[in-house]
Amino acid sequence: MYKKHIEEYIDAHRQEMIDDISLLCRINSEKTAYQEGKPYGEGASRALALALSMAEKYGFSINNYDNYVGTADLNEKEKQLDILAHLDVVPAGEGWTVTEPFEPVEKDGKLYGRGTADDKGPAVAALYAMRAVKELGIPLSKNVRLILGTDEECGSSDIRHYYDVEEEAPMTFSPDGSFPVVNIEKGSLQGHFTAEFEPSDAVARVIAIKAGTKANVVPGKAFAVFEGLDDNLVRDTGAEVEKETGVSFEIQGRNHTLEITAIGEGAHASLPTEGKNALTALLLLISRLPFAPCAQIEALHSLVKLFPYHDTSGEALGVAMEDELSGALTLAFDLLEVSEDSLDATFDSRCPICANEENVLEPARRRLAEHGFTLTNETMTPPHYVDGNSDFVKTLLKAYERYTGRKGTCESMGGGTYVHSLKNGVAFGAAMPETDNRMHGADEFAVIDELLVSAKIFAQVITDLCR
């Protein structure tokens, strides 16, 4: 029921929806320093204000929770379904080729720009689903609420603020993953570790290393400064490492030093095989160069042993595992800062249902300690699981099958969404399973037809669950 009307409505509003997404994506809503009344900075606040003004323009009742979270309600009836999306983005990063990060463009059926897929595009698709239900006059007996957060990428303190004053809806989905239904989100360990050592004046030496932007992003670039090495030797060794890894190296002489830039390919930390880790490639390069022995170099060699370039399963760290429902553990080494006397680093591990602190956190702590590193973590985030046979999940899968003609199944993912701590929350859309939309990387895009079908599916779900 209503399928034909929903499809016609969304198709008729295609360009308007794309225009609204583009307006939001022109705002750099990366988290920045606190300002009074703007807990995550100017950009996040602007994006939230714009999204709420859109919702209000389309006739929805809105509420702003102290610029942490905004909501739009379809009606004033009993709470039934929450749709949980976010408007903040990861840093733009480098390597964009189709357009500038915050200048969205439509090309070849795709909308390019930071946030088009994660998560402004899906948020607007959900808004248009609500619009369709409202303007088509589909009768509902219960309410759906669109919840728009602004700190999903940096810890989700926004949504904790929201749930301090609001209760969960009986059912929640987040359009911040992929179809069909993600009912399992892996646990995580963002392992922060440090080391200190006596500085050495011996040459050749590493003066500094700086790599990574966020703990949940595979670094596409990494930087180092060397002293006392022949540049031709570094170039030749770099060429060998490039053949093995696909990561290239730019070398520039400056004031008796060599500045090294490793250039790989960024990716979401939950999908480390989809990137080319510039940090672990840089460490591999360092391990093959004739630096003078010292405690710092010994530590860097240890990092190569613990986080070898091609190891994305945590085998070298002693935490590799998998289970039938949620798959294998993944691991990415994402942040490193090294000076002459200290080291500060973070790896990101996404852990299956079988993982716990005894078989992940403690083995990692012991293995790092064997090499002189101190793991500072006391806890890890547990996995999240919702029964795939529940009426809620079955309703989502039925709508997906109806609008795509594909078989609906339950899936597991390594990325965590807003629903991770909710009792009955799953990720649902807004990309098709085979689509790699370069989330967290350069040239992020959303397939426009996928956004349109997502809006149609969401409208059907609202109708089925709230009618």
Side-chain angles (χ1 to χ4, degrees):
M1 187 180 294
Y2 299 111
K3 180 175 185 290
K4 180 175 182 292
H5 300 293
I6 289 171
E7 289 184 322
E8 290 176 348
Y9 181 93
I10 296 299
D11 288 341
H13 289 79
R14 175 194 186 279
Q15 192 57 51
E16 192 177 356
M17 188 172 93
I18 298 309
D19 290 345
D20 280 350
I21 295 170
S22 297
L23 281 174
L24 279 171
C25 290
R26 289 191 183 99
I27 299 173
N28 180 352
S29 51
E30 175 189 352
K31 183 178 182 178
T32 57
Y34 171 86
Q35 299 180 29
E36 186 175 356
K38 301 173 183 178
Y40 309 117
E42 177 66 29
S45 176
R46 283 179 56 212
L48 182 60
L50 177 58
L52 289 178
S53 71
M54 288 179 183
E56 188 172 39
K57 180 176 69 174
Y58 300 140
F60 300 110
S61 173
I62 63 170
N63 196 3
N64 187 329
Y65 293 76
D66 307 314
N67 269 340
Y68 285 78
V69 167
T71 60
D73 288 297
L74 188 55
N75 56 48
E76 297 180 352
K77 300 181 186 293
E78 180 184 355
K79 183 191 297 274
Q80 173 74 342
L81 174 67
D82 283 347
I83 303 175
L84 196 47
H86 69 90
L87 302 174
D88 58 308
V89 296
V90 298
E94 300 186 25
W96 291 74
T97 61
V98 179
T99 185
E100 293 299 311
F102 300 104
E103 295 178 9
V105 298
E106 185 178 342
K107 181 180 180 182
D108 300 327
K110 301 172 182 177
L111 185 65
Y112 287 86
R114 178 60 85 225
T116 53
D118 182 25
D119 190 36
K120 294 173 181 176
V124 173
L127 178 63
Y128 271 70
M130 292 171 61
R131 246 190 109 180
V133 172
K134 179 181 178 65
E135 295 182 16
L136 289 171
I138 298 174
L140 301 181
S141 63
K142 295 184 179 180
N143 184 39
V144 59
R145 168 174 285 188
L146 177 60
I147 304 173
L148 300 169
T150 54
D151 187 41
E152 193 272 346
E153 301 290 2
C154 295
S156 300
S157 62
D158 56 338
I159 213 66
R160 290 192 292 274
H161 181 86
Y162 173 80
Y163 284 118
D164 280 344
V165 296
E166 295 285 359
E167 294 183 356
E168 292 180 34
M171 307 168 191
T172 304
F173 75 79
S174 177
D176 191 20
S178 64
F179 290 115
V181 169
V182 179
N183 69 319
I184 299 173
E185 294 184 4
K186 292 180 178 179
S188 66
L189 171 62
Q190 287 194 347
H192 174 253
F193 62 95
T194 60
E196 296 182 353
F197 27 78
E198 289 294 324
S200 172
D201 293 329
V203 290
R205 63 176 179 157
V206 175
I207 295 176
I209 298 174
K210 176 73 173 178
T213 56
K214 298 281 186 182
N216 63 349
V217 179
V218 174
K221 282 195 174 183
F223 306 92
V225 180
F226 300 163
E227 182 182 19
L229 287 180
D230 178 74
D231 60 346
N232 288 326
L233 173 63
V234 177
R235 291 181 198 281
D236 291 344
T237 308
E240 294 173 2
V241 173
E242 181 177 2
K243 289 179 182 178
E244 296 178 34
T245 65
V247 176
S248 62
F249 299 90
E250 293 182 351
I251 302 167
Q252 182 176 358
R254 189 183 302 275
N255 297 329
H256 307 294
T257 66
L258 295 177
E259 296 181 352
I260 315 298
T261 303
I263 304 172
E265 186 174 331
H268 195 291
S270 67
L271 300 168
T273 58
E274 295 187 359
K276 296 178 182 178
N277 194 318
L279 167 53
T280 52
L282 176 62
L283 291 172
L284 183 60
L285 172 66
I286 290 171
S287 72
R288 295 183 179 177
L289 293 171
F291 291 103
C294 68
Q296 180 215 57
I297 289 298
E298 183 178 344
L300 296 179
H301 286 183
S302 291
L303 291 180
V304 177
K305 296 175 183 176
L306 293 167
F307 305 101
Y309 180 81
H310 292 289
D311 180 6
T312 57
S313 63
E315 184 174 351
L317 198 61
V319 296
M321 64 182 69
E322 63 180 298
D323 59 45
E324 185 175 353
L325 281 175
S326 52
L329 179 146
T330 62
L331 188 144
F333 190 16
D334 295 335
L335 294 173
L336 178 64
E337 189 163 356
V338 179
S339 66
E340 296 178 353
D341 61 1
S342 66
L343 177 154
D344 191 285
T346 302
F347 66 87
D348 184 299
S349 180
R350 307 301 169 105
C351 310
I353 293 175
C354 62
N356 54 49
E357 293 182 1
E358 287 70 31
N359 60 20
V360 175
L361 177 62
E362 293 310 321
R365 190 191 309 280
R366 289 194 298 270
R367 191 84 172 93
L368 287 163
E370 290 171 3
H371 290 268
F373 302 118
T374 301
L375 183 68
T376 64
N377 296 68
E378 296 299 327
T379 61
M380 58 184 284
T381 303
H384 171 70
Y385 172 65
V386 172
D387 185 0
N389 291 315
S390 67
D391 290 340
F392 170 47
V393 171
K394 287 181 177 179
T395 299
L396 300 182
L397 292 175
K398 181 180 177 181
Y400 169 77
E401 291 177 344
R402 190 175 180 188
Y403 283 82
T404 66
R406 304 184 183 202
K407 176 64 177 174
T409 57
C410 289
E411 306 291 340
S412 166
M413 77 171 181
T417 72
Y418 271 143
V419 302
H420 197 90
S421 61
L422 301 184
K423 182 178 179 180
N424 197 26
V426 298
F428 184 55
M432 292 299 149
E434 70 278 5
T435 300
D436 174 13
N437 49 32
R438 301 172 189 164
M439 190 180 295
H440 289 200
D443 290 337
E444 176 186 342
F445 67 84
V447 178
I448 292 173
D449 283 347
E450 293 183 8
L451 290 175
L452 293 172
V453 77
S454 295
K456 297 170 186 177
I457 292 169
F458 298 160
Q460 188 66 55
V461 166
I462 292 168
T463 300
D464 292 343
L465 291 177
C466 301
R467 191 175 56 204

